[in-house]
Amino acid sequence: MLSYQNPFSLEHQWNGNQLGDPFIMRHDGYFYLYCSSHLAQIKCWRSENLTEWTYMGSVCDLPEIEGAYAPEVLYTHGRFYMVTAPKGSGHYLLAADAPTGPFSLVSENFGLLIDGSLFADDDGRVYFTRAGHRGIEIHDVDLPNTPTTAGKIIPESYLNHWTEGPMIIKREGLYFLTITGNHLLSRGYRIDYIVSPEGPDKGYQTPRNPTLLLEVGDEFHALGHSSTVLGPDMDSWFIAYHSFNFLAEPRYRSLNIDRLSFDGGRMYTNAAWWPQAAPAGPVFTSRGGEGMPQAQREGKIFWMTPPMGRTFTAEFNINPQGKSVVLLLDDASPLHIASDGIALRDGAKKPLPTNINWNAHLTIRVAQGRKAFRVWLNGMTVLEIPTAAFSLSGEAGMGLWTEANTLPGFVGFSHTAEGSGDHTAAINIPGRFPAVHTESAPPETQSHTDFGLPARAMRPSPSPVSYQINVKETGSYTLFLRLEAEAKQATLSVNGQALALDNLTTQGFTTVCAGVITLNKTDKKLQLSQITGIRLLDELTLIPAATAPESLSVIEKGRLIHSPLRILGHKRGNSMLRKEWGFTCAENFGVGYVGEDGWTDYTLEAGLNINRHTNGTASLYLRATKESWFEHQATPSLLGYRVKADSKGISLSRCHYGEELLGRIEFGADITTKVNITVSVQGGKIAVHCHGAKLEYTDTHYPHGKAGLEATGEGWGFERFIVGKTHGGTGWAKSPPVA
């Protein structure tokens, strides 16, 4: 079985190793890769399988495009249109008759910052999205004219700082907008997404877990500026993005590709930089009619495919040269396509999208799944019929005829539709994935609401439920389940390892720690069996296991005594040090983390000294993961929870490279010289105690992660900081209340 490993290393990369802002377009059964450039060239590579790439040379050598940022290409109106922002100083629009160029200018520089992307909706209307200071902006485009300068911000796309790298795809009636933020030079450079059921320019909503790709470790970090492309099987989707290696000298960006999966209005992917299976391809392919027999039907000679079965996705590429095309779906179901519309059998004609040029290349894609029979022309949905009302046997194969009598281009089909291949694709572990992506046929499901869009949950059956997996390394992994329980207790067996869950809530969905299991690198399946007490299972997460210590003193008497504290800030490891009021930031900001991502339940205890003229803050972090620091990015820069003390009180927030306030305690009087805080996280319960005041909140959004501390400005210093399963009665919690 063909495999590959991120990051890619291709021939003729810039400077031998540089490939940033990758964009991949699929056309006529090939994939074309473009990237940001250094000289007056835009390089291109081609592949048939997304893993093996051939250098095709430069597609544009004009002096105006020197240093082209993020070139992206859309096939529309019978031509290939490219947008790029040379040296990050406004966009040019270019066009060509082939994806390999040569591209020529069709506009002057029309500005609008950087990272332009083109999207054609099902009606043929084209939109231009680009980076912005307050989120992604979207503009109308009337090609070959340039986009209108008067665009509008998509407010849900804002990543609390500079936001870039937009791309829109449409799948099963939903618009998915992927975005990147918030600084290229941060390890926390990441890819998020938002979803709209209304249109490419409105109605977006933020999912519960909007981050698709975020890694900050030494092995793999700074993941961003993505593009999304239909896979070789014409049904699956893949995301291409770059990683930025900050540890190399010189630093460089590299191409990475991972599989995307969908669950209603949710997208999933788990970054893998270890070997993984290559994308599945079609089961039949042909070019120029090779290997396709011809058959006569209704006085026409059709190019015929082999039988395809009831579940399939097929594609036919042809230049109709202004003439009509007939697709023989089976012996009784011809699909008539012409410049004046599309008609199935003897039905009324439906107009085609306005951006189809009937004298140029045409891609016809047809799919039949459990829900619907669909037809796309050049990627735009032109026909959708519920499978219950129209279903093909697939036993006779399909046939292609054109009045122009031209040879077909790429023809192929696979036995997948509506993302059915997601059920057999290997899931990268560690990672998070939807429960419905079982290896076998989809189990009984029940719709539930997630951020206002339909998503799917699973009711486990008595028979085992298994998933294909690709494990990074052998070891112990903690399993977290997002579920709806039908009893206070639940049990299950995972690969033969028994787990018991206690004190469950039967009211709605919650995320729980199911326990620790052992996985081997050679394991190819994750099997759940003997399931009791769980009504609906929504998501599974597996991360390397770790346990918080019984009691660990990190700071005593204002001095750091636990050297593994990882300190971040503009002075790096020297961003925190001892001052007269305790361990604090060296200069305006310092943050440190201790522990492992696998820590779940623990207590933090902090004794804080306060300079009378404080202008700063002090914070404790709980269940922190994916933490990074860069002076030009959103703060706080992590996923997890924050307890922050200022001169007036203490607040509790949920952090997602930004923060959402969950609760606050007001001191009620000016503080004097000490504040003593104890914070515990047990399951979904977060409890903050401060001198007799108590703040409690239940939240299972982040069930695991490190502990941390932070100081800003001047005046707050840590006299003592302890982390452990219990705080051990150190005396700080018994200090006199604040005067």
Side-chain angles (χ1 to χ4, degrees), residues 585-601:
C585 55
E587 187 176 307
N588 293 320
F589 176 86
V591 61
Y593 297 94
V594 63
E596 305 292 338
D597 284 351
W599 283 13
T600 54
D601 295 347

Side-chain angles (χ1 to χ4, degrees), residues 11-12 118 187 224 226 237 255 324-325 378 384 417 445 458 470 490-491 530 543 570 618 627 706:
E11 293 184 344
H12 299 282
L118 296 170
R187 289 194 184 211
S226 68
W237 290 87
L255 167 69
S324 61
V325 175
N378 292 350
E384 183 172 336
T445 62
M458 183 180 70
N470 175 35
T491 61
Q530 301 175 4
I543 65 161
H570 77 284
E627 69 281 358
K706 308 175 188 72

Side-chain angles (χ1 to χ4, degrees), residues 356-395:
I356 291 181
N357 183 335
W358 205 249
N359 289 288
H361 185 98
L362 180 69
T363 298
I364 308 168
R365 185 160 55 101
V366 183
Q368 179 173 277
R370 291 186 303 114
K371 292 182 283 188
F373 170 83
R374 296 180 175 91
V375 179
W376 297 263
L377 297 182
N378 292 350
M380 297 168 289
T381 306
V382 295
L383 192 64
E384 183 172 336
I385 305 172
T387 302
F390 179 86
S391 180
L392 302 175
S393 68
E395 294 178 358

Side-chain angles (χ1 to χ4, degrees), residues 561-582:
I561 64 170
H562 184 65
S563 57
L565 183 72
R566 189 167 69 92
I567 297 174
L568 303 177
H570 77 284
K571 292 180 176 290
R572 301 190 179 185
N574 295 318
S575 295
M576 298 191 81
L577 47 71
R578 174 176 169 76
K579 292 182 179 178
E580 64 175 293
W581 52 86

Side-chain angles (χ1 to χ4, degrees), residues 18 124 144-145 183 189 211 244 313 378 425 433 475 487 491 526 547 554 638:
Q18 182 79 242
N145 299 316
H183 201 286
Y189 197 56
T211 296
F244 199 164
T313 299
N378 292 350
F433 56 97
T491 61
L526 184 78
T547 303
V554 180
L638 75 153

Side-chain angles (χ1 to χ4, degrees), residues 189-323:
Y189 197 56
R190 72 191 193 279
I191 300 166
D192 278 23
Y193 77 101
I194 53 177
V195 189
S196 172
E198 299 181 26
D201 60 341
K202 59 187 175 183
Y204 282 98
Q205 300 176 51
T206 303
R208 185 173 54 86
N209 284 306
T211 296
L212 279 174
L213 291 162
L214 172 59
E215 298 291 340
V216 297
D218 288 345
E219 287 183 286
F220 205 54
H221 48 255
L223 315 183
H225 200 115
S226 68
S227 63
T228 307
V229 65
L230 199 64
D233 65 358
M234 299 156 286
D235 179 56
S236 59
W237 290 87
F238 289 81
I239 186 166
Y241 58 96
H242 71 239
S243 54
F244 199 164
N245 190 336
F246 293 152
L247 303 181
E249 186 58 48
R251 301 181 296 186
Y252 61 89
R253 296 180 290 177
S254 299
L255 167 69
N256 304 271
I257 300 174
D258 285 308
R259 186 188 180 99
L260 280 171
S261 63
F262 294 81
D263 177 18
R266 296 182 290 185
M267 299 172 78
Y268 293 84
T269 190
N270 296 320
W273 53 100
W274 58 96
Q276 57 183 312
V283 296
F284 170 81
T285 61
S286 169
R287 290 189 183 275
E290 183 177 356
M292 297 180 69
Q294 292 183 299
Q296 184 171 347
R297 299 286 190 278
E298 301 178 354
K300 300 178 176 65
I301 304 298
F302 287 85
W303 295 94
M304 299 299 298
T305 74
M308 293 186 294
R310 287 188 177 275
T311 299
F312 63 83
T313 299
E315 183 176 290
F316 302 84
N317 289 268
I318 192 77
N319 186 336
Q321 298 181 358
K323 306 295 182 65

Side-chain angles (χ1 to χ4, degrees), residues 18-32:
Q18 182 79 242
L19 200 157
D21 306 326
F23 175 81
I24 299 178
M25 177 189 68
R26 186 177 183 275
H27 179 77
D28 196 18
Y30 289 113
F31 297 91
Y32 295 89

